[in-house]
Amino acid sequence: MPELKALLFDVDGTLADTERDGHRVAFNRAFADAGLDWHWSVEEYGWLLQVTGGKERMRFFIEQRNPSIPEGIEIDRMIIELHKAKTDHYMRLLGEGLIPLRPGIEPLLREARESGMRIAIATTTTPENVTALLGNTLGPGSVDWFEVIGAGDIVPHKKPAGDIYTYVMEKMDLNPDDCLAFEDSENGVLAVHDAGIRAMIITTNGYTAGHDFDGATTVIDRLCGDGEAPLHLLAGFDPLADCIDLAAARRVHAAAHATAGTLND
Ligand code: XBP
Ligand code: MG
């Protein structure tokens, strides 16, 4: 049975519910600033989330929805400029402190840090967004808690490709069996599996609750119960915990490897 050596975290939807009230709002502000009449509703954005990466998402929107584009504009350049403006807006929103970490994230990160469990980030979003989210929630310097921040365009293929997980594991000199991944979406599950990682905890959110999480070890609606609601097991291995701490994380990792033959074959 392999030993659990590292926890690898997705960011958007997993560390924090960033999409609906963060990224989506920032995209809309960037569109308005640029004089575009584009607007991504809550529902439309849920559909657009099938494509990971903000630049890739805008290109998909242009191809699929054929929105109005001012004459003579060069699309590749426009996407890059819109994305820069969107990132500025997003970081401003984070700075307002309106996007907290999801329940259970901070205690798990603190426990990992105190007990020497290695932690890293594997995300599709832009690196400065990760630094801003961590700084505004866990405080300045918290980015250093993470051994590697794998983010954005550092790999050629974003999720659902496994490249970002492979990049992080290579930097940490880890094998897939050493790791437990935390994700929130179907594209996340596909990326984790593509990188050869068997052990995975999914925490669903408003945008991803209906996704297909086939092959995920444990699917729950939150890492920790809090005053508002308890943790619910939605599918897979029951970690038998009110809160995912390191002991529960080790149980999930062990369960993934005990049933590896049936989970991934
Ligand atoms: C996150 C993404 C990102 C964010 C926006 O997916 O797809 O594109 O939506 O961030 P995951 P950027 O949680 O699977 O990593 O605009 O910086 O790309
Ligand atoms: Mg995510």
Side-chain angles (χ1 to χ4, degrees), residues 10-14 19 159 183-185:
D10 169 50
V11 174
D12 296 300
T14 301
E19 295 290 8
K159 298 173 191 176
E183 275 284 354
D184 70 301
S185 69

Side-chain angles (χ1 to χ4, degrees), residues 91-110:
M91 292 206 295
R92 222 167 291 139
L93 282 165
L94 290 177
E96 289 166 18
L98 298 175
I99 303 188
L101 295 178
R102 293 190 68 183
I105 290 290
E106 180 164 353
L108 179 59
L109 293 176
R110 287 193 184 278

Side-chain angles (χ1 to χ4, degrees), residues 10 12 19 23 27 45 52-54 57 83 86 123-126 129 159:
D10 169 50
D12 296 300
E19 295 290 8
H23 291 296
F27 278 114
Y45 194 66
T52 64
R57 191 169 298 141
H83 195 249
K86 174 261 167 179
T123 180
T124 294
T125 201
T126 311
N129 293 347
K159 298 173 191 176

Side-chain angles (χ1 to χ4, degrees), residues 76-89:
D76 288 352
R77 195 183 173 80
M78 178 182 72
I79 287 177
I80 288 171
E81 281 170 7
L82 283 172
H83 195 249
K84 274 198 198 119
K86 174 261 167 179
T87 299
D88 288 345
H89 278 296

